[in-house]
PDB file of all heavy atoms in Angstrom:
ATOM      1  N   HIS A  32    -180.575-120.215  84.966  1.00 95.00           N
ATOM      2  CA  HIS A  32    -179.761-118.928  85.041  1.00 95.00           C
ATOM      3  C   HIS A  32    -178.872-118.896  86.380  1.00 95.00           C
ATOM      4  O   HIS A  32    -177.674-118.682  86.275  1.00 95.00           O
ATOM      5  CB  HIS A  32    -180.788-117.816  85.138  1.00 95.00           C
ATOM      6  CG  HIS A  32    -180.220-116.450  85.133  1.00 95.00           C
ATOM      7  ND1 HIS A  32    -180.311-115.487  84.197  1.00 95.00           N
ATOM      8  CD2 HIS A  32    -179.469-115.816  86.243  1.00 95.00           C
ATOM      9  CE1 HIS A  32    -179.665-114.420  84.537  1.00 95.00           C
ATOM     10  NE2 HIS A  32    -179.195-114.566  85.822  1.00 95.00           N
ATOM     11  N   GLU A  55    -173.830-111.766  83.710  1.00 95.00           N
ATOM     12  CA  GLU A  55    -175.210-111.875  83.385  1.00 95.00           C
ATOM     13  C   GLU A  55    -175.563-112.277  81.930  1.00 95.00           C
ATOM     14  O   GLU A  55    -176.560-112.957  81.667  1.00 95.00           O
ATOM     15  CB  GLU A  55    -175.909-110.506  83.714  1.00 95.00           C
ATOM     16  CG  GLU A  55    -175.959-110.130  85.235  1.00 95.00           C
ATOM     17  CD  GLU A  55    -176.558-111.261  86.087  1.00 95.00           C
ATOM     18  OE1 GLU A  55    -177.221-112.129  85.645  1.00 95.00           O
ATOM     19  OE2 GLU A  55    -176.212-111.196  87.338  1.00 95.00           O
ATOM     20  N   SER A  56    -174.699-111.986  80.998  1.00 96.00           N
ATOM     21  CA  SER A  56    -174.960-112.363  79.583  1.00 96.00           C
ATOM     22  C   SER A  56    -174.989-113.894  79.584  1.00 96.00           C
ATOM     23  O   SER A  56    -175.777-114.503  78.856  1.00 96.00           O
ATOM     24  CB  SER A  56    -174.053-111.660  78.625  1.00 96.00           C
ATOM     25  OG  SER A  56    -172.727-112.229  78.912  1.00 96.00           O
ATOM     26  N   PHE A  57    -174.059-114.485  80.300  1.00 97.00           N
ATOM     27  CA  PHE A  57    -173.880-115.955  80.228  1.00 97.00           C
ATOM     28  C   PHE A  57    -174.952-116.653  80.913  1.00 97.00           C
ATOM     29  O   PHE A  57    -175.582-117.529  80.510  1.00 97.00           O
ATOM     30  CB  PHE A  57    -172.503-116.385  80.795  1.00 97.00           C
ATOM     31  CG  PHE A  57    -171.421-116.235  79.816  1.00 97.00           C
ATOM     32  CD1 PHE A  57    -170.543-115.182  80.013  1.00 97.00           C
ATOM     33  CD2 PHE A  57    -171.224-116.999  78.741  1.00 97.00           C
ATOM     34  CE1 PHE A  57    -169.480-114.964  79.051  1.00 97.00           C
ATOM     35  CE2 PHE A  57    -170.215-116.851  77.912  1.00 97.00           C
ATOM     36  CZ  PHE A  57    -169.327-115.789  78.009  1.00 97.00           C
ATOM     37  N   ALA A  58    -175.393-115.995  82.175  1.00 96.00           N
ATOM     38  CA  ALA A  58    -176.487-116.642  82.834  1.00 96.00           C
ATOM     39  C   ALA A  58    -177.730-116.462  81.967  1.00 96.00           C
ATOM     40  O   ALA A  58    -178.631-117.427  81.957  1.00 96.00           O
ATOM     41  CB  ALA A  58    -176.655-115.935  84.163  1.00 96.00           C
ATOM     42  N   ASN A  59    -177.989-115.353  81.305  1.00 97.00           N
ATOM     43  CA  ASN A  59    -179.025-115.104  80.450  1.00 97.00           C
ATOM     44  C   ASN A  59    -179.045-116.179  79.360  1.00 97.00           C
ATOM     45  O   ASN A  59    -180.087-116.815  79.035  1.00 97.00           O
ATOM     46  CB  ASN A  59    -179.043-113.744  79.892  1.00 97.00           C
ATOM     47  CG  ASN A  59    -180.161-113.518  78.831  1.00 97.00           C
ATOM     48  OD1 ASN A  59    -179.891-113.918  77.696  1.00 97.00           O
ATOM     49  ND2 ASN A  59    -181.326-112.961  79.216  1.00 97.00           N
ATOM     50  N   TYR A  60    -177.850-116.413  78.748  1.00 97.00           N
ATOM     51  CA  TYR A  60    -177.813-117.243  77.548  1.00 97.00           C
ATOM     52  C   TYR A  60    -178.046-118.745  77.996  1.00 97.00           C
ATOM     53  O   TYR A  60    -178.451-119.509  77.192  1.00 97.00           O
ATOM     54  CB  TYR A  60    -176.533-117.062  76.847  1.00 97.00           C
ATOM     55  CG  TYR A  60    -176.541-117.772  75.411  1.00 97.00           C
ATOM     56  CD1 TYR A  60    -177.664-117.473  74.604  1.00 97.00           C
ATOM     57  CD2 TYR A  60    -175.604-118.705  75.045  1.00 97.00           C
ATOM     58  CE1 TYR A  60    -177.722-118.064  73.369  1.00 97.00           C
ATOM     59  CE2 TYR A  60    -175.764-119.347  73.775  1.00 97.00           C
ATOM     60  CZ  TYR A  60    -176.722-118.988  72.999  1.00 97.00           C
ATOM     61  OH  TYR A  60    -176.817-119.675  71.749  1.00 97.00           O
ATOM     62  N   SER A  61    -177.749-119.051  79.240  1.00 97.00           N
ATOM     63  CA  SER A  61    -177.914-120.424  79.752  1.00 97.00           C
ATOM     64  C   SER A  61    -179.427-120.792  79.671  1.00 97.00           C
ATOM     65  O   SER A  61    -179.757-121.934  79.513  1.00 97.00           O
ATOM     66  CB  SER A  61    -177.421-120.576  81.218  1.00 97.00           C
ATOM     67  OG  SER A  61    -178.299-120.015  82.089  1.00 97.00           O
ATOM     68  N   GLU A  62    -180.226-119.812  79.722  1.00 97.00           N
ATOM     69  CA  GLU A  62    -181.679-120.105  79.684  1.00 97.00           C
ATOM     70  C   GLU A  62    -181.950-120.590  78.251  1.00 97.00           C
ATOM     71  O   GLU A  62    -182.808-121.591  78.099  1.00 97.00           O
ATOM     72  CB  GLU A  62    -182.502-118.819  79.885  1.00 97.00           C
ATOM     73  CG  GLU A  62    -182.278-118.135  81.265  1.00 97.00           C
ATOM     74  CD  GLU A  62    -182.761-116.806  81.483  1.00 97.00           C
ATOM     75  OE1 GLU A  62    -183.723-116.381  80.673  1.00 97.00           O
ATOM     76  OE2 GLU A  62    -182.215-116.050  82.282  1.00 97.00           O
ATOM     77  N   ASP A  82    -186.709-112.160  74.789  1.00 96.00           N
ATOM     78  CA  ASP A  82    -185.648-111.452  75.480  1.00 96.00           C
ATOM     79  C   ASP A  82    -185.243-110.273  74.474  1.00 96.00           C
ATOM     80  O   ASP A  82    -184.982-109.213  75.061  1.00 96.00           O
ATOM     81  CB  ASP A  82    -184.417-112.361  75.632  1.00 96.00           C
ATOM     82  CG  ASP A  82    -184.378-112.913  76.982  1.00 96.00           C
ATOM     83  OD1 ASP A  82    -185.414-112.669  77.794  1.00 96.00           O
ATOM     84  OD2 ASP A  82    -183.374-113.607  77.332  1.00 96.00           O
ATOM     85  N   TYR A 113    -178.159-108.103  80.586  1.00 95.00           N
ATOM     86  CA  TYR A 113    -178.795-109.444  80.502  1.00 95.00           C
ATOM     87  C   TYR A 113    -179.167-109.812  79.067  1.00 95.00           C
ATOM     88  O   TYR A 113    -178.460-110.542  78.402  1.00 95.00           O
ATOM     89  CB  TYR A 113    -180.055-109.427  81.349  1.00 95.00           C
ATOM     90  CG  TYR A 113    -179.869-109.557  82.843  1.00 95.00           C
ATOM     91  CD1 TYR A 113    -179.278-108.455  83.545  1.00 95.00           C
ATOM     92  CD2 TYR A 113    -180.200-110.697  83.576  1.00 95.00           C
ATOM     93  CE1 TYR A 113    -179.154-108.484  84.989  1.00 95.00           C
ATOM     94  CE2 TYR A 113    -179.975-110.722  85.001  1.00 95.00           C
ATOM     95  CZ  TYR A 113    -179.480-109.669  85.687  1.00 95.00           C
ATOM     96  OH  TYR A 113    -179.316-109.663  87.017  1.00 95.00           O
ATOM     97  N   ASN A 114    -180.375-109.235  78.656  1.00 96.00           N
ATOM     98  CA  ASN A 114    -180.909-109.660  77.365  1.00 96.00           C
ATOM     99  C   ASN A 114    -180.030-109.420  76.104  1.00 96.00           C
ATOM    100  O   ASN A 114    -179.761-110.405  75.337  1.00 96.00           O
ATOM    101  CB  ASN A 114    -182.201-108.974  77.119  1.00 96.00           C
ATOM    102  CG  ASN A 114    -183.219-109.092  78.226  1.00 96.00           C
ATOM    103  OD1 ASN A 114    -182.853-109.257  79.353  1.00 96.00           O
ATOM    104  ND2 ASN A 114    -184.505-108.982  77.853  1.00 96.00           N
ATOM    105  N   GLY A 117    -176.961-111.601  76.274  1.00 97.00           N
ATOM    106  CA  GLY A 117    -177.224-113.017  75.909  1.00 97.00           C
ATOM    107  C   GLY A 117    -177.346-113.143  74.389  1.00 97.00           C
ATOM    108  O   GLY A 117    -176.866-114.116  73.748  1.00 97.00           O
TER     109      GLY A 117
END
Side-chain angles (χ1 to χ4, degrees):
H32 179 115
E55 296 305 344
S56 64
F57 283 103
N59 174 278
Y60 195 52
S61 77
E62 300 166 26
D82 264 4
Y113 285 68
N114 305 26

